Amino acid sequence: MNGQHKEGDSVNVSKMVRKAKRATTIRTVAISLLVSLIAFFGVMLGNQYLTSWSYNRANNSEQIMNLISGPDEKQTGQVNYSGFLNGTFQYYTAKVIEGVPIPWADRKINYKVFPFINFVSFGGDTSQSVSLQDENMKKQGYEYTRSYNGLNGQREMLFYIPQVDYNGKILNDLPLLQEMDQDKLVEMAISFDKDYSLSEVKQMTPPGLTQSWYWVDTYDNKAFYDPYIDGNGNKSYATPDVEDWVKGFGISHSDSSEVSEKTFLEALEQGVQLKGHYQYEFNRIYNYLKKDKAKPDESDIRILGAVVTGTAKELQVLNGQPYVRGITLGAVVDKY
């Protein structure tokens, strides 16, 4: 009898042990699942916070750079694709010529939470300019080509720095205005014979033309543009800057009289403080302008050229203006 009782007790103890083990296993699995879920959502929330911070930083950097570049360009839209600790955003711009928009650029910018780690590549900056040989320029011995926008086929403007030797190969596109419909809306880049103050530019530009953008002297190494002689004795000359390279500022509405040098200086100050993707470029320009002062002021802004818009007929008033060293055609669009 006692043997049967002991045997029953042993069976009960085994059941209790198995039950306890199951309970422990279930509790361990439940705790592990809960911890995993918490960790998963923690990582997801952390990733969202960090990528959002990285995106905002990269986007701010682009927005500030756009304030001092891209003549007549306005941003029209943006799409953001975020991944794990990195992402890319794509934004679109249009040129606005006398109130008429022209689709212009489609840019993709990468951003990363940790610049030295790359989990996934989402693409990168894209070049949408196309250089094509102009037969008339070739016959006249020009050493450079025309640039066109790869999305819409429009011409891109060229800019000539005062005092730089281009071997006499400086374009004057004013005769082209006579070959087109006189009601066409046209954008042209004027390169001046020397640098001027903003007030001087506003006064000397003929009335009736819209001064839409001003090209600022940000060239801290003009010796780079000096003629170069290679090892074979061949001499090469500077080529003009395409519109994507130049820096300046423009109007945000039709009243150009309200534009001042502060527009450029405020954007430059923001770029320096942000310490973003274009930190080197913002610092370079800032230091060049301020020289030995604590910070640059409006008197340090010298204008090398301007972008003007109007009808083909109106722009012909620029013929014979003494301050025009070179003038190149940009975008052309119908009024309606």
Side-chain angles (χ1 to χ4, degrees), residues 71-72 157 159 187-190 210-214 305-309:
D72 293 338
M157 297 175 291
F159 294 79
E187 168 194 57
M188 300 197 86
I190 306 173
T210 301
Q211 302 174 40
S212 59
W213 201 80
Y214 302 97
V307 175
V308 294
T309 62

Side-chain angles (χ1 to χ4, degrees), residues 115-155:
F116 49 86
I117 299 177
N118 187 21
F119 290 97
V120 181
S121 177
F122 284 85
D125 297 343
T126 56
S127 175
Q128 294 166 329
S129 292
V130 178
S131 294
L132 298 176
Q133 183 69 57
D134 184 300
E135 289 303 317
N136 289 328
M137 291 172 61
K138 185 177 181 180
K139 291 176 182 177
Q140 297 174 45
Y142 280 76
E143 297 178 353
Y144 56 91
T145 59
R146 292 272 192 183
S147 292
Y148 295 83
N149 183 283
L151 293 179
N152 54 40
Q154 294 276 359
R155 294 191 186 203

Side-chain angles (χ1 to χ4, degrees), residues 48 109 193:
Q48 183 178 7
I109 307 298
D193 59 333

Side-chain angles (χ1 to χ4, degrees), residues 55 79-83 86-90 92 108 111 122:
Y55 158 72
V79 180
N80 178 40
Y81 306 94
S82 61
N86 66 2
T88 188
F89 65 93
Q90 184 172 1
Y92 312 92
K108 293 182 181 180
Y111 59 89
F122 284 85

Side-chain angles (χ1 to χ4, degrees), residues 175-212:
L176 298 178
L177 298 175
Q178 300 175 14
E179 301 175 12
M180 64 180 72
D181 184 334
Q182 295 300 286
D183 290 328
K184 289 279 190 180
L185 301 178
V186 181
E187 168 194 57
M188 300 197 86
I190 306 173
S191 297
F192 296 145
D193 59 333
K194 63 178 183 178
D195 62 87
Y196 293 90
S197 68
L198 179 61
S199 60
E200 288 174 326
V201 173
K202 288 182 177 181
Q203 292 172 8
M204 69 190 190
T205 304
L209 302 182
T210 301
Q211 302 174 40
S212 59

Side-chain angles (χ1 to χ4, degrees), residues 46-60 111-115 274:
N47 177 67
Q48 183 178 7
Y49 172 80
L50 291 173
T51 53
S52 178
W53 173 84
S54 183
Y55 158 72
N56 287 330
R57 182 180 175 83
N59 184 44
N60 288 341
Y111 59 89
K112 305 172 187 176
V113 174
F114 304 107
L274 181 64

Side-chain angles (χ1 to χ4, degrees), residues 38-291:
I38 292 174
F40 174 76
F41 284 109
V43 169
M44 293 298 292
L45 289 173
N47 177 67
Q48 183 178 7
Y49 172 80
L50 291 173
T51 53
S52 178
W53 173 84
S54 183
Y55 158 72
N56 287 330
R57 182 180 175 83
N59 184 44
N60 288 341
S61 184
E62 289 298 320
Q63 295 290 343
I64 296 171
M65 178 53 73
N66 288 342
L67 292 174
I68 65 167
S69 60
D72 293 338
E73 280 190 67
K74 310 293 181 186
Q75 186 170 326
T76 57
Q78 184 181 115
V79 180
N80 178 40
Y81 306 94
S82 61
F84 184 67
L85 297 181
N86 66 2
T88 188
F89 65 93
Q90 184 172 1
Y91 69 93
Y92 312 92
T93 67
K95 278 208 172 187
V96 181
I97 311 299
E98 293 292 312
V100 179
I102 309 170
W104 197 257
D106 175 356
R107 298 188 176 98
K108 293 182 181 180
I109 307 298
N110 288 332
Y111 59 89
K112 305 172 187 176
V113 174
F114 304 107
F116 49 86
I117 299 177
N118 187 21
F119 290 97
V120 181
S121 177
F122 284 85
D125 297 343
T126 56
S127 175
Q128 294 166 329
S129 292
V130 178
S131 294
L132 298 176
Q133 183 69 57
D134 184 300
E135 289 303 317
N136 289 328
M137 291 172 61
K138 185 177 181 180
K139 291 176 182 177
Q140 297 174 45
Y142 280 76
E143 297 178 353
Y144 56 91
T145 59
R146 292 272 192 183
S147 292
Y148 295 83
N149 183 283
L151 293 179
N152 54 40
Q154 294 276 359
R155 294 191 186 203
E156 295 183 343
M157 297 175 291
L158 301 174
F159 294 79
Y160 301 90
I161 304 170
Q163 283 79 55
V164 168
D165 185 359
Y166 295 99
N167 196 27
K169 305 302 181 184
I170 298 177
L171 289 170
N172 176 10
D173 283 341
L174 285 172
L176 298 178
L177 298 175
Q178 300 175 14
E179 301 175 12
M180 64 180 72
D181 184 334
Q182 295 300 286
D183 290 328
K184 289 279 190 180
L185 301 178
V186 181
E187 168 194 57
M188 300 197 86
I190 306 173
S191 297
F192 296 145
D193 59 333
K194 63 178 183 178
D195 62 87
Y196 293 90
S197 68
L198 179 61
S199 60
E200 288 174 326
V201 173
K202 288 182 177 181
Q203 292 172 8
M204 69 190 190
T205 304
L209 302 182
T210 301
Q211 302 174 40
S212 59
W213 201 80
Y214 302 97
W215 175 28
V216 174
D217 179 10
T218 61
Y219 296 89
D220 59 339
N221 182 22
K222 292 187 176 70
F224 173 80
Y225 295 88
D226 289 344
Y228 172 75
I229 300 177
D230 64 21
N232 297 320
N234 298 315
K235 192 173 186 179
S236 58
Y237 293 85
T239 58
D241 285 357
V242 296
E243 62 180 64
D244 285 345
W245 297 353
V246 296
K247 301 296 183 289
F249 59 97
I251 61 176
S252 57
H253 45 76
S254 59
D255 188 1
S256 61
S257 64
E258 295 185 9
V259 178
S260 73
E261 296 91 341
K262 289 182 179 179
T263 305
F264 188 85
L265 292 172
E266 289 173 357
L268 191 61
E269 188 76 38
Q270 293 175 39
V272 169
Q273 293 177 359
L274 181 64
K275 300 186 186 326
H277 178 68
Y278 300 104
Q279 180 181 2
Y280 174 82
E281 184 69 356
F282 282 120
N283 284 335
R284 181 191 68 77
I285 297 172
Y286 190 86
N287 292 331
Y288 171 66
L289 293 179
K290 76 182 183 67
K291 302 296 190 294

